[in-house]
């Protein structure tokens, strides 16, 4: 089965260009802008944890973004309906990307493990088919990266890795843990042998899924905010969100503090030290009371009234 992609770079845009033109556009994008939106997926297992929900659009967006920047197919071992084509078709910038995503679905623990275990067979079949088509058509692949191939895998995806092992009533708790551990071991082997990222998620953060976090080489956390999903990783943090006119919205106070501190340094102004929670209210200047006396004013008019000389 073939299906699955997510939204990429300017998330507010809904590109209508073909996949090749999108990849060219991505190449020409400002690196500073490009790095603001979605994190890159490095080789090894990456665990994506999404708060308040399954995070299907987030997962699909990361996959699509990776495919836009790399040649080669993605192999998706689905569970719990993360590989639905409905949302994929809505967010993909090009339907051609869907042809590069090969999906296997496991509806039981054994089916899921079998799909993961048989992934090398599926990879070999896809390689044989793609190389035959390329040789007979005489067309050259437009490799986006020198180290990527249009035939070999560029990504392996295994969302909700724990679901089938957790819910299968035919398995004892110990057997479920062993089968999940074997699945993790197989995925780690594929990450090493194919030199590709393996993107996984888990349905619940608890003792049963602790081995998933242990096996992961990288960890991404997604927080749902009013402005959009905020992704945080070891070397990435979403700081801005694009809007239709090309501007950007910002939701994290830490970013504004960082920006203003940098600006203050540029103009030779020493950044102010934030007041402690136990200090007195910040002053805003001085004023003259009704009795003609000069007094310091704070940001609270009521407090000024009660602390001014003669105030009640």
């Amino acid at each position: 089965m073939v299906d699955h992609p997510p939204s990429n770079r300017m998330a507010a845009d809904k590109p209508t260009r073909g996949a090749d033109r999108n990849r060219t556009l991505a190449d020409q994008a400002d690196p500073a802008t490009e790095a603001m939106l979605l994190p890159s997926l490095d080789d090894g297992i990456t665990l994506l944890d999404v708060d308040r929900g399954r995070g299907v659009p987030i997962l699909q967006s990361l996959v699509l973004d990776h495919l836009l920047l790399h040649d080669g197919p993605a192999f998706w071992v689905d569970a719990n309906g993360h590989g639905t084509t409905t949302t994929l078709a809505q967010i993909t910038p090009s339907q051609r990307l869907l042809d590069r995503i090969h999906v296997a679905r496991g509806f039981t623990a054994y089916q899921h493990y079998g799909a993961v275990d048989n992934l090398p067979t599926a990879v070999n079949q896809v390689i044989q088919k793609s190389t035959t088509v390329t040789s007979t058509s005489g067309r050259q692949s437009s490799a986006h990266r020198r180290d990527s191939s249009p035939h070999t895998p560029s990504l392996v995806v295994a969302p909700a890795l724990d679901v089938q092992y957790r819910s299968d009533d035919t398995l004892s708790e110990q057997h479920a843990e062993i089968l999940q551990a074997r699945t993790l071991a197989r995925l780690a082997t594929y990450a090493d042998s194919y030199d590709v990222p393996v993107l996984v998620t888990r349905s619940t953060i608890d003792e049963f899924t602790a081995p998933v976090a242990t096996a992961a080489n990288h960890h991404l956390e997604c927080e749902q905010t009013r402005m959009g999903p905020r992704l945080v990783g070891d070397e990435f943090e979403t700081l801005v969100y694009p809007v239709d006119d090309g501007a950007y919205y910002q939701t994290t106070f830490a970013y504004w503090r960082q920006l203003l501190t940098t600006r203050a340094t540029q103009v030779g102004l020493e950044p102010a030290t934030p007041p402690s929670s136990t200090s007195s209210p910040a002053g805003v200047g001085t004023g003259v009371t009704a009795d003609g006396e000069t007094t310091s004013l704070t940001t609270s008019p009521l407090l000024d009234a009660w602390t001014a000389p003669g105030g009640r």
Side-chain angles (χ1 to χ4, degrees):
M1 299 176 64
V2 178
D3 277 283
H4 174 197
S7 89
N8 172 24
R9 63 224 40 272
M10 307 301 174
D13 292 340
K14 297 182 187 286
T16 56
R17 308 174 181 86
D20 291 338
R21 293 187 61 193
N22 274 323
R23 290 201 300 266
T24 301
L25 181 64
D27 249 358
Q28 298 172 349
D30 180 4
T33 301
E34 174 183 331
M36 291 178 181
L37 306 179
L38 291 171
S40 60
L41 298 177
D42 297 324
D43 293 353
I45 296 179
T46 295
L47 171 61
L48 170 65
D49 280 328
V50 182
D51 73 332
R52 299 199 304 272
R54 298 191 304 152
V56 172
I58 304 302
L59 175 72
Q60 294 180 350
S61 297
L62 289 174
V63 174
L64 232 186
D65 186 59
H66 185 82
L67 290 179
L68 285 168
L69 297 173
H70 298 80
D71 284 314
F75 291 85
W76 183 304
V77 182
D78 197 46
N80 208 25
H82 284 71
T84 172
T85 57
T86 303
T87 52
L88 284 171
Q90 291 176 346
I91 64 178
T92 179
S94 170
Q95 294 298 315
R96 291 173 56 189
L97 285 178
L98 296 176
D99 296 333
R100 295 171 53 197
I101 301 174
H102 303 266
V103 181
R105 306 183 191 277
F107 297 99
T108 68
Y110 287 106
Q111 287 181 0
H112 188 270
Y113 173 75
V116 172
D117 189 50
N118 290 329
L119 189 141
T121 301
V123 169
N124 291 336
Q125 291 176 348
V126 170
I127 292 176
Q128 291 175 3
K129 182 178 179 179
S130 62
T131 53
T132 300
V133 171
T134 301
S135 61
T136 55
S137 64
R139 291 185 299 176
Q140 295 287 332
S141 168
S142 57
H144 188 67
R145 295 282 177 89
R146 290 183 179 180
D147 59 350
S148 64
S149 165
H151 308 300
T152 56
S154 63
L155 179 65
V156 176
V157 188
L161 189 65
D162 61 304
V163 164
Q164 301 303 346
Y165 308 101
R166 183 191 297 273
S167 61
D168 197 324
D169 295 333
T170 65
L171 298 176
S172 66
E173 182 178 353
Q174 182 180 15
H175 194 182
E177 292 175 351
I178 292 174
L179 205 55
Q180 179 183 246
R182 289 179 177 175
T183 298
L184 281 168
R186 297 295 289 167
L187 292 175
T189 299
Y190 300 148
D192 291 337
S193 58
Y194 294 124
D195 289 326
V196 297
V198 174
L199 180 61
V200 303
T201 68
R202 50 183 172 176
S203 64
T204 304
I205 301 176
D206 58 12
E207 185 178 352
F208 186 76
T209 56
V212 180
T214 301
N217 305 103
H218 317 285
H219 192 187
L220 289 173
E221 295 180 283
C222 180
E223 175 189 3
Q224 303 288 0
T225 72
R226 289 184 305 160
M227 298 302 299
R230 178 172 178 265
L231 287 160
V232 177
D234 295 336
E235 299 180 355
F236 180 88
E237 179 181 1
T238 301
L239 295 178
V240 297
Y241 299 87
V243 292
D244 291 335
D245 60 1
Y248 293 90
Y249 286 141
Q250 171 59 46
T251 64
T252 58
F253 286 109
Y255 173 77
W256 287 111
R257 179 183 299 173
Q258 175 185 348
L259 183 66
L260 293 175
T261 298
T262 302
R263 180 64 69 201
T265 302
Q266 290 176 346
V267 299
L269 179 66
E270 187 69 23
T273 302
S276 65
S277 58
T278 58
S279 62
S280 302
V284 295
T286 58
V288 179
T289 68
D291 297 332
E293 298 184 20
T294 301
T295 183
S296 298
L297 298 179
T298 71
T299 55
S300 173
L302 289 176
L303 184 60
D304 293 336
W306 280 102
T307 56
R312 291 177 180 264

